[in-house]
Amino acid sequence: MTDNILISVKGVKKHYLDGKVKALNGVDIDIKRGEVVVIIGPSGSGKSTLLRSLNLLEVPTEGSIFFEGEDIAAQNVNINKHRQKMGMVFQHFNLFPHMTIMKNLILAPTKVLKMNKEKAEEKAQKLLERVGLGDRGGSYPAQLSGGQKQRIAIVRALCMEPEVILFDEPTSALDPEMVGEVLDVMKDLAKAGMTMAVVTHEMGFAREVADRVVFMDEGIIIEEGTPAEIFDNPQNPRLKSFLSKVL
């Protein structure tokens, strides 16, 4: 892995209700190119707020977020230009129900990247095959299972040729038997060198795939390290207590 840092978060705070609620209370984290960072922690710890801040879906109250060297939290930054390079996969798939899967997939590449339709379709088809859904381009979202829809949502992110993909609890809305098929796609992406930041409750995935695991509580990063350090040798009492409940 190169030492080259893709995203650098410096002193980020996100407060609500005039500062009464501190969703993020001073977070610093760097994410290198090709690194898989998995963020864990109890509900309400600030994990999703941090993830959504990385592409300014949540605008920080203070602090800086550098993406490819530019502070995207600064005034007058064209955030849409940066968002093109940051894929996002949510809990809920956000597919357009009235469009076929193929139309869902080529919408952004043709509109935003100005890719021609044939090239966009060819790319989307290859990616569909990569996730085992090569025969589903003509289907509508309602005809697919939750796990299939989430794999389509990942393909949609990949169609934009992103530098990084942000995953916000991508399996939490799925039936248990569908979780594996989505995690398998994410594992393949990690092996292929995709930079990923993942908020998840799937500790097995964190242990197996993460280069680094970050534990958050009360809006701050409490501890971070390799999966072995976090799961086998946790230092902080709050992390120990959290792991005793989830493992």
Side-chain angles (χ1 to χ4, degrees):
M1 191 192 307
T2 63
D3 255 353
N4 136 12
I5 290 169
L6 183 63
I7 298 173
S8 185
V9 174
K10 305 277 187 212
V12 163
K13 297 183 178 180
K14 177 65 180 180
H15 296 170
Y16 299 99
L17 301 176
D18 296 328
K20 291 190 190 71
V21 177
K22 298 178 168 62
L24 296 176
N25 205 18
V27 173
D28 298 279
I29 184 171
D30 291 337
I31 298 173
K32 294 175 184 169
R33 280 183 196 280
E35 189 176 26
V36 179
V37 175
V38 175
I39 305 166
I40 63 172
S43 291
S45 58
K47 311 182 294 291
S48 287
T49 307
L50 172 59
L51 191 83
R52 292 165 67 88
S53 298
L54 297 180
N55 65 357
L56 292 206
L57 286 178
E58 297 278 359
V59 178
T61 308
E62 64 179 76
S64 298
I65 297 168
F66 294 92
F67 176 61
E68 297 188 319
E70 185 170 0
D71 183 2
I72 60 174
Q75 297 293 325
N76 307 324
V77 166
N78 177 357
I79 184 58
N80 290 327
K81 185 184 89 172
H82 294 288
R83 279 192 186 134
Q84 290 173 26
K85 301 179 188 174
M86 303 171 110
M88 182 101 198
V89 178
F90 301 92
Q91 285 180 33
H92 299 287
F93 329 109
N94 301 354
L95 297 170
F96 292 112
H98 62 289
M99 289 184 181
T100 63
I101 295 309
M102 183 57 77
K103 285 201 170 129
N104 266 284
L105 296 178
I106 68 169
L107 182 66
T110 53
K111 289 265 192 298
V112 180
L113 300 182
K114 306 289 186 248
M115 198 182 278
N116 77 46
K117 184 166 174 263
E118 288 68 32
K119 185 178 171 203
E121 285 182 344
E122 186 185 334
K123 183 176 180 57
Q125 184 59 36
K126 279 192 182 135
L127 288 166
L128 283 173
E129 283 160 16
R130 183 171 161 189
V131 304
L133 294 171
D135 59 344
R136 291 304 208 156
S139 304
Y140 286 86
Q143 297 170 292
L144 303 184
S145 71
Q148 289 171 326
K149 285 182 208 168
Q150 194 58 296
R151 283 186 279 161
I152 296 295
I154 295 171
V155 168
R156 180 180 54 190
L158 289 170
C159 281
M160 291 295 284
E161 302 177 351
E163 298 283 328
V164 57
I165 302 186
L166 312 174
F167 292 88
D168 190 5
E169 300 193 15
T171 58
S172 64
L174 298 178
D175 292 335
E177 67 269 23
M178 291 174 187
V179 168
E181 64 193 53
V182 173
L183 293 179
D184 285 345
V185 171
M186 293 170 67
K187 287 174 193 171
D188 288 344
L189 287 178
K191 284 190 194 116
M194 174 58 75
T195 310
M196 293 160 53
V198 185
V199 170
T200 187
H201 296 289
E202 300 290 336
M203 297 299 144
F205 174 82
R207 187 188 275 274
E208 183 183 343
V209 181
D211 295 301
R212 186 156 43 112
V213 179
V214 173
F215 172 68
M216 288 187 72
D217 195 16
E218 295 183 1
I220 57 173
I221 292 174
I222 302 282
E223 193 169 331
E224 59 180 298
T226 64
E229 287 165 345
I230 293 294
F231 292 113
D232 301 333
N233 192 22
Q235 301 298 305
N236 189 284
R238 278 145 91 182
L239 174 55
K240 288 178 185 172
S241 160
F242 173 75
L243 292 174
S244 73
K245 295 184 179 83
V246 298
L247 291 182

